[in-house]
Amino acid sequence: MWSFVRLWPCCLSRLSPQTLSRLTRYIALSAVLSFTGGWSLGCSPANGKPCTDCSDAGELLTDGGLEAEPSDARWDEQLTPITPDAPLSERKTERGPEYPPPGPIRCGAPTRTFYEPPAQFPSGASPGTVVKCEEIGGRTASTLGADLRFSVGGGVARYGYRLFRILYVTQYPKGTLRWATALLSTPVEPKGNCRTNAAIAMVGHGTMGMAPQCGPSRFPNFGLHHLTFPLLGRGIAVVSPDFLGLGIGVPEGHPYLITKPTVWSGLDSVRAARYLAERGALPGCVSKKVLLFGHSQGGQAALASASMFSSYLQDYQLLGTVAWGPAFGDERLWLGPFAPTFKVTTATAYFLAYLLAAQRTGKGPALSQWLTPKAAIRISGLLDTVCFAEWDSFLRSQFSTFQDIFTSSFLKASTACNAGKGDCKSFRFWRDVIAASQIPAQPPLAPTLLVQGLLDTVVSATSVSCIAKRWKSGTKVTHACVYPQANHISIISQSWKAILPWIAQILAGKTPATPACPQTKLPVCP
């Protein structure tokens, strides 16, 4: 903010009324946020240089800085005419204007149009390209350290952080560009500069819902701090992907628990963070050293990403992975048999959301072939408009048993398949997609920590044990951290003190020792 004070004598007489108005709003906003201990926009550098003359100030206050969004005309001038879902092979071959334009990508103030992507992808865009970045918050080290969600892990917060939301490019199917959104937090030293070359942690969220508005970037001050604060205060950058279809929608909806689109949109968020460090507003702030974290749905994403890491991010280094209560450790739990009299519970809400995602993504059987008429009419549209709590409540209030939701032919086919041990001819589509969603058998090449509560009724400890069983040979090291009195939610807060020393050893380049957890052995995989 004070950079502008130095510039006023030479600049005020040369600014337009519109620019003066923006300057006034900027100063008021920065003063309020600085007073409250939050973030301060500061003087954004132009082309990597400090703001030292009037031309820099004018650029900051117009299309390059505080009002960060380019006009529609400017976007159109920079784009080649490709449709949002066009495969890379269908791009026009003639060379258009370079995009992004010369100079760094800046992170401006929040706008109302962040979730409205350009009509076309930029020329030359590839997975990880960032097209929008907005600074939306942050904390100092002292305010972060005083928060219970940090202090639960013990120690002192040495860093504060700046918080951004980013719109970036991912792909699914392979070669087909899609838009995706994420939150990005970078550690800040006491003097206000970022910690240089910080390791980057991809942190995957638990089940939020299927509608675009359920993405965590839509409500950045709710839901993920318990997963991110202990890392940020210790100088680890964090990128939290919404995952494909959340935050910003895609035609077929969020591919809930479907492995490849989840992994690709997550790992592309790591690329996006690095993109800003190399070409954007965060020069040198993020390294290529990667940690993977996740809870529940995000736990599956973290473990699957670890398994596929070396084939997707070849020039990055995976340091290690931590997963709390990871979903889809044992495909047999998803294969039935399902009886007509099974009660509809919260577990049904998870299961049905997955089946609908699999049906859409894999172009499976029509809804009328496996859902009752009442369910087919009410369920699909609702899933795209509400988040998980409302979805779960609706299902349990409207349907009592499985026969109210699923057709008799679907239930009979699941019984015949018998968790893959019987005749799965009539259940073939579901068996194949469920098998593909199970956490891959290929073990990662970096240390892995599976964290599980024995009171967890959402993800069973035995299903997590099956992951360890498949990875027992081939992975560098797989540890288990088991808490007898923890459930699916409380496992996170209970385990940080044991997890953080394990992470510190990884960051120091050491092979981690067995963590100091109440138990280090999971129940036997059946």
Side-chain angles (χ1 to χ4, degrees), residues 47-135:
N47 298 321
K49 299 177 182 179
C51 298
T52 56
D53 58 36
C54 297
S55 61
D56 285 349
E59 184 176 6
L60 174 65
L61 289 167
T62 54
D63 63 348
L66 184 61
E67 299 288 335
E69 295 301 329
S71 67
D72 290 340
R74 183 176 175 184
W75 280 111
D76 293 340
E77 290 169 2
Q78 302 295 340
L79 304 176
T80 54
I82 91 173
T83 59
D85 293 330
L88 300 180
S89 59
E90 295 180 10
R91 291 179 180 167
K92 289 198 172 183
T93 56
E94 63 266 20
R95 185 178 178 83
E98 289 292 329
Y99 185 90
I105 302 298
R106 294 197 175 91
C107 297
T111 67
R112 295 179 179 179
T113 59
F114 175 80
Y115 294 97
E116 299 174 11
Q120 301 166 329
F121 286 99
S123 174
S126 61
T129 297
V130 177
V131 295
K132 289 187 183 183
C133 177
E134 297 180 355
E135 186 163 7

Side-chain angles (χ1 to χ4, degrees), residues 300-492:
Q300 181 224 22
L303 295 177
S305 296
S307 181
M308 301 168 67
F309 189 92
S310 60
S311 63
Y312 199 75
L313 293 183
Q314 294 92 339
D315 55 342
Y316 289 70
Q317 179 186 1
L318 177 61
L319 300 179
T321 304
V322 176
W324 291 272
F328 246 121
D330 185 358
E331 64 175 299
R332 293 171 295 180
L333 298 178
W334 299 75
L335 282 172
F338 306 116
T341 55
F342 278 8
K343 297 293 184 183
V344 173
T345 65
T346 296
T348 313
Y350 290 112
F351 179 56
L352 188 54
Y354 167 74
L355 294 181
L356 286 164
Q359 184 262 350
R360 294 170 175 180
T361 306
K363 298 180 180 179
L367 298 184
S368 60
Q369 296 182 31
W370 57 284
L371 292 179
T372 63
K374 176 183 176 181
I377 291 173
R378 298 189 179 192
I379 284 177
S380 183
L382 181 71
L383 187 61
D384 294 327
T385 58
V386 299
C387 295
F388 186 79
E390 292 81 9
W391 164 250
D392 174 35
S393 177
F394 173 83
L395 283 184
R396 290 186 289 110
S397 66
Q398 297 295 313
F399 304 95
S400 299
T401 62
F402 271 34
Q403 64 188 352
D404 297 327
I405 296 176
F406 299 105
T407 61
S408 59
S409 60
F410 175 88
L411 296 173
K412 289 177 181 177
S414 77
T415 301
C417 188
N418 192 23
K421 295 179 290 186
D423 180 6
C424 296
K425 185 189 308 182
S426 299
F427 208 63
R428 178 66 61 186
F429 171 81
W430 302 111
R431 180 185 179 184
D432 290 347
V433 297
I434 288 170
S437 296
Q438 180 177 258
I439 293 168
Q442 176 64 38
L445 301 177
T448 303
L449 181 58
L450 304 172
V451 190
Q452 183 66 30
L454 295 185
L455 298 182
D456 192 334
T457 59
V458 177
V459 173
S460 70
T462 55
S463 72
V464 177
S465 179
C466 292
I467 303 169
K469 181 179 179 180
R470 290 197 300 275
W471 285 2
K472 189 172 183 179
S473 60
T475 187
K476 190 171 183 179
V477 59
T478 299
H479 287 141
C481 189
V482 181
Y483 285 76
Q485 298 303 313
N487 59 31
H488 194 61
I489 303 301
S490 65
I491 184 61
I492 299 171

Side-chain angles (χ1 to χ4, degrees), residues 134-256:
E134 297 180 355
E135 186 163 7
I136 58 174
R139 291 198 183 193
T140 63
S142 59
T143 57
L144 176 59
D147 194 295
L148 289 174
R149 290 163 294 187
F150 172 85
S151 59
V152 70
V156 176
R158 296 175 54 201
Y159 299 87
Y161 70 92
R162 296 170 70 190
L163 176 63
F164 308 88
R165 60 185 178 192
I166 57 175
L167 174 67
Y168 65 97
V169 177
T170 187
Q171 61 178 337
Y172 189 75
K174 189 172 184 179
T176 299
L177 297 183
R178 303 296 185 100
W179 299 112
T181 46
L183 293 173
L184 172 63
S185 302
T186 57
V188 175
E189 295 180 340
K191 292 184 178 181
N193 53 301
C194 75
R195 183 186 186 186
T196 56
N197 294 314
I200 178 78
M202 186 201 83
V203 176
H205 60 78
T207 300
M208 311 295 289
M210 300 278 280
Q213 69 267 23
C214 306
S217 72
R218 295 272 188 166
F219 38 95
N221 288 318
F222 176 79
L224 292 181
H225 292 335
H226 62 304
L227 294 171
T228 63
F229 278 5
L231 304 175
L232 290 167
R234 290 167 173 80
I236 300 170
V238 172
V239 63
S240 306
D242 286 332
F243 295 129
L244 187 66
L246 297 181
I248 190 167
V250 294
E252 64 271 54
H254 171 51
Y256 177 59

Side-chain angles (χ1 to χ4, degrees), residues 29-55:
L29 180 61
S30 291
V32 170
L33 292 169
S34 297
F35 176 78
T36 59
W39 48 267
S40 176
L41 292 174
C43 185
S44 178
N47 298 321
K49 299 177 182 179
C51 298
T52 56
D53 58 36
C54 297
S55 61

